[in-house]
Amino acid sequence: MSKKVVLAFSGGLDTTYCVKYLSEERGLEVHTAIVQTGGFSDEELKEIEEKAYKLGVVSHITLDQTETFYEQCVKYLVYGNALRYNTYPLSVSAERVFQALAIAEYAKKIGADSIAHGSTGAGNDQIRFDMAFKIICPEAEIITPIRDNQLSRQDEIDFLISKGVDGDWSKSMYSINQGLWGTSVGGKETLGSRLSLPEEAYPTQVTETIPKKISLTFDKGELVGIDGKIYDKPVQAIQELNKIASPYGIGRDIHVGDTIIGIKGRVGFEAAAPVLTIKAHHLLEKHTLTKWQLYWKEQLGNYYGMLTHEGQWIDPVMRNIEKFLEDTQSHVTGEVFLTLFPYRFELEGIESKFDLMNPEFGAYGEMNNAWTGEDARGFATILANQNMIFGKVKDAAEETVSE
Amino acid sequence: MSKKVVLAFSGGLDTTYCVKYLSEERGLEVHTAIVQTGGFSDEELKEIEEKAYKLGVVSHITLDQTETFYEQCVKYLVYGNALRYNTYPLSVSAERVFQALAIAEYAKKIGADSIAHGSTGAGNDQIRFDMAFKIICPEAEIITPIRDNQLSRQDEIDFLISKGVDGDWSKSMYSINQGLWGTSVGGKETLGSRLSLPEEAYPTQVTETIPKKISLTFDKGELVGIDGKIYDKPVQAIQELNKIASPYGIGRDIHVGDTIIGIKGRVGFEAAAPVLTIKAHHLLEKHTLTKWQLYWKEQLGNYYGMLTHEGQWIDPVMRNIEKFLEDTQSHVTGEVFLTLFPYRFELEGIESKFDLMNPEFGAYGEMNNAWTGEDARGFATILANQNMIFGKVKDAAEETVSE
Amino acid sequence: MSKKVVLAFSGGLDTTYCVKYLSEERGLEVHTAIVQTGGFSDEELKEIEEKAYKLGVVSHITLDQTETFYEQCVKYLVYGNALRYNTYPLSVSAERVFQALAIAEYAKKIGADSIAHGSTGAGNDQIRFDMAFKIICPEAEIITPIRDNQLSRQDEIDFLISKGVDGDWSKSMYSINQGLWGTSVGGKETLGSRLSLPEEAYPTQVTETIPKKISLTFDKGELVGIDGKIYDKPVQAIQELNKIASPYGIGRDIHVGDTIIGIKGRVGFEAAAPVLTIKAHHLLEKHTLTKWQLYWKEQLGNYYGMLTHEGQWIDPVMRNIEKFLEDTQSHVTGEVFLTLFPYRFELEGIESKFDLMNPEFGAYGEMNNAWTGEDARGFATILANQNMIFGKVKDAAEETVSE
Amino acid sequence: MSKKVVLAFSGGLDTTYCVKYLSEERGLEVHTAIVQTGGFSDEELKEIEEKAYKLGVVSHITLDQTETFYEQCVKYLVYGNALRYNTYPLSVSAERVFQALAIAEYAKKIGADSIAHGSTGAGNDQIRFDMAFKIICPEAEIITPIRDNQLSRQDEIDFLISKGVDGDWSKSMYSINQGLWGTSVGGKETLGSRLSLPEEAYPTQVTETIPKKISLTFDKGELVGIDGKIYDKPVQAIQELNKIASPYGIGRDIHVGDTIIGIKGRVGFEAAAPVLTIKAHHLLEKHTLTKWQLYWKEQLGNYYGMLTHEGQWIDPVMRNIEKFLEDTQSHVTGEVFLTLFPYRFELEGIESKFDLMNPEFGAYGEMNNAWTGEDARGFATILANQNMIFGKVKDAAEETVSE
């Protein structure tokens, strides 16, 4: 009896190659799976399924993880205002981890002997896939035909032709990866350090030109409404916000970062909803959290982002950090007001019953109701104490030396 | 013989009141001083000096600290990419500390018995002034007439009229504070949480409409040139960049933050050169520094910003952090290319001989020259080790429990 | 009708003075309260109550907060292995905050107009008391007779004699403060930097000389048993452990630290149970938590300790950190074995079903079952990647320069 | 012409095997090297050299790196008070990195085609060696016969007998690794979690029973003298301190830690001088540094230790951290007084002209000379401000909800 392999399948050249290679060269029983994390339309998923069966797979499954992805990861990226290197909302990074985990769980469930993915040896995805597989189903062999054989596109095409598989394998100018939390865009410009992506590289073209005021409603840190309309689920609000803001070209940028494998990598992205959500959320937090909450959220949110990016989302410290982040959100409730412009947006202000900026106690620079000038004077005196002492001790020590 | 007081003097209502109060009510010998940190024109400084002498001060001095401010503080804010709460380049915060220090040193030098400032009891400045005075010349008495007596503007005006001082004390709609590292803007909108500043509140109006490509040259982390022209001093490059970019309305935003005294405060700012410099500098660092350099720079840069903001710039830990930051900059040399648009800018790319993104070793997602697929597989296996073990130990422990 | 004041009362000279001063000089209705956090015997509490009524207070209450103190604070200090400056288990620091909070809540409950404490102006306690009072019942006036009048002991004694109060006010050589989480010892040696405390300064003398093996049982991070006996409550286990280990002189040391008011302070302590519990707990964690859990626990545990020490336990970030710490403890279950010797102890080892040091996967330095040598080689290659590239880029850049 | 290989040679079974394997099975020209980091006597080094030549190596060299190791690493471990997981002074970890670097530099110098080490696949050393080799001389092939072939001791012995090499290969009960910064001890107890090492496992037996008072002199953070005698070099002071304190059994413990490869490892050590030096140094710092200096030193010192442990000492961030640490030491000058007892020591106190604990300004809990009670009251009021506001806002928001 031939052995079962689960293959992460997207319908592209690499994974098409893998199907044929695994079944015909390795004699394995191929079960393909694709994970939906919000980036595919139903039609696309159906086409991919048809492709899989046409290639002769024993079974194909679509694993819908959009809600799981939001509930177990995106939510915390928002709580933590996670922007890698202050720029990138981890669009693909986070999504890929959840795809890997779902594939691994599926392989475990159907008792697969091996798991395969079509990644090359030069990117982050191979590490995310390998790690999830090793942790969730460590007994399964990991098969990576493209990486192992360092195949060129032509090698793959030739092989497929020899197997009677035809298709349009012409490479598009830009490689696009779409998901709930943003779309990545790679191309010849991102392979170097000097150039930005041209307008046409971005999948969503800028069609809106008239500024638009919107309000975002947050409930305990989650985006739940837009312009007063409350959605059943935050995922819907995110998707709707994307529809509204993407045609403004908002949330575009290029991320330059450290890959897990030690090289620098550069990738373009458009992520209107993620960027708007995080920036609005952060503003609401600046009004509703204490200084030390903001401080520690920054530390833990950034580390959470970094470990997610590096495929270590499964480490138990991540569950611990999630508990911290969640607990910080009890007062992050209110409305954030902003204006969308072509290619940019402005945060206007907020309204929240938990707003700590409250004229009852004092107005910055103007009035002090809750304390006196004498209190402030005493505060400054004590706060200066250690450095005053340091200065005097230093002067005395230096005098001793110079005498 | 009457006692000497040094008064931080700006020529505004509060400090004009102070001159008269200190000399006529307290019988002190008033020596006024104003500190230039890049925000005053020569004419303004001259007018202020004339005002002082007209009010009857014994002496008046202008202390030019622009270079000192850059060399001892702004430089490190750039090295550290310091943006408070991810937004505010600490425009006034940092400057005020240097003004306070210069006043304190001056008071010490002329043997003043007391030092005075015109701050209210509701802002950050009082703490910055008090602390610097307490640390640099702890023996001097600190006199703060406005804070101590919680005077209203009308009280001050009435007093000045009674002393025969007239002037136009009508309050402008927005209070503006200008310096090398940005201009702050406060007004009725910033006293609440809901509204942004109207266009007319910003001192520099947007007059440029045509996108403009520029390049910024950095040498060991310092901005030294624009469009290929190298300046004698970074201060000149910053000032020139401000001239170019301010009419685009770049670097405007509202900072919502925690004041030193525990209340939330909100302040508008325009800071074209600071924001462009920091963002371009950070991009160059993403290409030239290692992951752990970027990580620790973020921690230390942000803390440096926070302690500067809170008037603790004088703590010796700040000198230690400066040594760290400076040492990280040895490779932060190169050109950054960007485009200015009305109200926004785009970072295009960089060129640097220290760029770690180098196709010789590998291209992200495409080629691995410096390692094999087998290496990457081994890497992922070992990196997954601890969580693989964690999972197995957990499963075994839970089985034991449920048996 | 005279106004109500709640006074934190210990029966010592300072608070005795306060009773008389508040009632007879200020004409207030004095309600005394003492907070038990595990340091007083029933007899002591009874004596203090009698003293209070004898001084003429309107009411006196003992607020037992031992369980609250454990559940809301000590538990987290153990989870976080909190030792200030790597030495001090925060014995008095933490306790004092809980005493202040209980007094403040009590004052609020009985509708007091003011709250009083007998602290001087030179220590941490005044800040802890003031802050708790300001936060919990901000409307109440805070009265601090000793601090405000900088009274000497003789001043106080003279006043009390004039009011007909007599007592033995001779000062003991060492000031002792006892609580659940340790006993502090201050004396002439701790006022300077050079000397340690003499043997006789410690309240518990060393009477045990024979080494003793014991085991401590932890359940999700809490000390629940000793030598196999499980206690109803962790507080009991801590108290029992203190009885066993204190006569060995374990957990003695001198803490040198930064006070909240900026000066350095030095205080001796004996804290057998706290030190043993934390060190045993930490060892168990080293076996059962992942590297990143240990890393972040250290950061957050230490900050939790610092903010507790500085009277900021009430900040909401502390609740957030508690959630993090608690969540890390799910696997911190097992036995820790140790040996007590006079003045020291040795940690022997642990047993836990969650122990990640498991020969099934590999033995450090000896066997690798879960991975191959080839995996390790690949791991090292990739981990070296960035620094290899950094080195080559640096060499090439330097060559360019020198050419 | 046969190719050159440089082999890290210690004279033990594994590296003896490597000599024969590399020369006779692989036909390479074997150049052995041993690195002195303070752990070998001259006799031992001579014996090792003789062994090497007897095995037929083409050349053998002893690379003395003791001073380099101190100047480039140990010094900073002291500045940073680096104790991994609060226990382990990184005795072998740090040393091994320097041995690897010296071997790599030597291989580069003599133009070796390959470098070999005798590590197994189950420990940290393989990673430290591999990484240093990859970074310093990336072109050289790395050969690891023991790891690659997972050889057993018997396999190695049989091979050596077949090659006519005899020797006493009986395994000692405990494997010992000695160096300037401590001695590690591994044995059957450290392979499990439960047991501590028996007395006889430690190479230095406890022979001193009479308590001894000593003083340690630090100059800018470096140990320069003992009992008033100043040494030419800190290395000599460390070696002398080891001679004095080791016979007391001081500095013994077991480190339980996370290996670089993800498993937990346990190792015993004796490190009298490192532990005494670090603890005395830390005490002196508590007196001479500000709170924020102590705080950031802890963060950076621990990370420096972690990255050193994990073989990443070469990352440029380490040079940056060294600059920080060095700059913190300008005031860490003075005497530390302590008493040695069998198996333990007590820190008594310090003397330093930079001591910030200075009665001129105030005495903790007793006197406040540099500030008033009113100042402290104002300080507490302002410090409580944010949480007071937080509490009021929360109460108001909750009332709104419940209405």
Side-chain angles (χ1 to χ4, degrees), chain D residues 333-367:
Chain D
T333 291
E335 298 275 311
V336 182
F337 302 91
L338 27 83
T339 311
L340 311 181
F341 299 89
Y343 302 103
R344 69 185 183 93
F345 63 97
E346 282 178 18
L347 293 167
E348 212 171 85
I350 67 112
E351 277 176 11
S352 167
K353 64 184 172 182
F354 295 111
D355 191 359
L356 297 176
M357 184 163 149
N358 190 317
E360 184 186 333
F361 309 105
Y364 174 55
E366 308 259 328
M367 281 173 304

Side-chain angles (χ1 to χ4, degrees), chain B residues 56-344:
Chain B
V57 304
V58 175
S59 78
H60 176 86
I61 193 169
T62 296
L63 303 162
D64 191 342
Q65 294 286 299
T66 313
E67 272 300 318
T68 303
F69 178 42
Y70 175 79
E71 284 297 331
Q72 295 188 9
C73 186
V74 169
K75 191 169 75 177
Y76 300 107
L77 295 175
V78 175
Y79 293 168
N81 304 313
L83 293 175
R84 184 70 179 146
Y85 288 168
N86 230 335
T87 298
Y88 180 49
L90 298 170
S91 310
V92 181
S93 321
E95 180 186 283
R96 199 65 87 223
V97 170
F98 273 77
Q99 293 169 343
L101 291 170
I103 298 279
E105 292 290 357
Y106 176 64
K108 200 174 169 184
K109 190 178 147 196
I110 71 165
D113 305 285
S114 56
I115 322 187
H117 62 84
S119 310
T120 69
N124 283 321
D125 288 344
Q126 58 173 337
I127 307 297
R128 294 176 190 135
F129 275 117
D130 280 20
M131 285 184 71
F133 296 173
K134 276 284 174 194
I135 293 166
I136 304 293
C137 46
E139 280 74 23
E141 187 195 357
I142 298 173
I143 306 178
T144 52
I146 313 299
R147 173 170 74 180
D148 295 347
N149 305 309
Q150 284 197 274
L151 298 172
S152 71
R153 289 180 61 83
Q154 200 51 54
D155 293 338
E156 298 178 38
I157 292 168
D158 292 347
F159 173 84
L160 286 174
I161 289 169
S162 79
K163 298 292 177 189
V165 179
D166 44 39
D168 175 12
W169 306 119
S170 66
K171 200 184 172 182
S172 58
M173 291 273 289
Y174 293 96
S175 91
I176 305 288
N177 190 90
Q178 202 158 347
L180 174 69
W181 205 234
T183 301
S184 67
V185 186
K188 65 177 189 296
E189 291 86 1
T190 55
L191 291 176
S193 304
R194 174 62 186 83
L195 300 172
S196 62
L197 287 167
E199 196 71 25
E200 62 271 22
Y202 290 98
T204 312
Q205 292 296 297
V206 177
T207 52
E208 294 283 359
T209 55
I210 298 165
K212 183 185 183 72
K213 281 182 181 286
I214 63 168
S215 76
L216 301 181
T217 306
F218 288 88
D219 183 33
K220 293 190 178 163
E222 291 188 272
L223 178 69
V224 295
I226 303 172
D227 287 336
K229 178 179 171 188
I230 303 301
Y231 292 82
D232 285 347
K233 295 186 169 189
V235 165
Q236 296 167 338
I238 291 168
Q239 286 168 332
E240 182 61 24
L241 183 56
N242 249 331
K243 269 184 219 151
I244 296 169
S246 292
Y248 281 95
I250 284 168
R252 290 180 178 184
D253 210 335
I254 292 185
H255 167 57
V256 183
D258 289 291
T259 62
I260 317 174
I261 52 180
I263 59 170
K264 296 283 179 183
R266 204 163 169 247
V267 68
F269 62 90
E270 56 171 57
V275 168
L276 287 171
T277 304
I278 285 175
K279 290 296 187 184
H281 175 266
H282 195 188
L283 180 62
L284 188 55
E285 288 194 329
K286 292 179 191 180
H287 279 272
T288 54
L289 302 186
T290 66
K291 171 183 151 182
W292 290 124
Q293 288 187 297
L294 288 165
Y295 177 73
W296 279 106
K297 282 194 67 267
E298 188 172 316
Q299 310 305 307
L300 289 167
N302 283 345
Y303 226 86
Y304 187 87
M306 182 173 97
L307 291 184
T308 297
H309 181 73
E310 298 184 353
Q312 302 199 54
W313 179 87
I314 212 168
D315 194 286
V317 77
M318 299 295 268
R319 304 298 80 72
N320 310 147
I321 294 175
E322 288 162 2
K323 285 283 186 303
F324 171 92
L325 290 173
E326 187 155 53
D327 199 55
T328 59
Q329 299 299 299
S330 58
H331 284 201
V332 187
T333 291
E335 297 276 311
V336 182
F337 302 90
L338 26 85
T339 311
L340 311 182
F341 299 89
Y343 303 102
R344 67 184 183 96

Side-chain angles (χ1 to χ4, degrees), chain C residues 5-40:
Chain C
V5 61
V6 166
L7 168 68
F9 183 71
S10 72
L13 175 61
D14 291 336
T15 55
T16 299
Y17 171 88
C18 289
V19 172
K20 283 297 176 193
Y21 170 82
L22 294 169
S23 57
E24 308 204 355
E25 302 294 303
R26 299 281 293 262
L28 300 175
E29 187 188 307
V30 179
H31 299 260
T32 49
I34 185 161
V35 185
Q36 163 74 297
T37 46
F40 298 104

Side-chain angles (χ1 to χ4, degrees), chain A residues 379, chain C residues 126-128 130-131 134 147, chain D residues 375-385:
Chain A
F379 177 74
Chain C
Q126 59 174 336
I127 307 298
R128 294 175 189 136
D130 279 20
M131 285 185 71
K134 276 285 175 194
R147 173 170 75 180
Chain D
D375 289 333
R377 177 191 283 270
F379 177 74
T381 299
I382 299 293
L383 202 57
N385 235 355

Side-chain angles (χ1 to χ4, degrees), chain C residues 321-335:
Chain C
I321 295 176
E322 289 162 2
K323 284 284 185 303
F324 171 91
L325 290 173
E326 187 156 53
D327 200 54
T328 59
Q329 299 298 300
S330 58
H331 284 201
V332 187
T333 291
E335 299 275 311

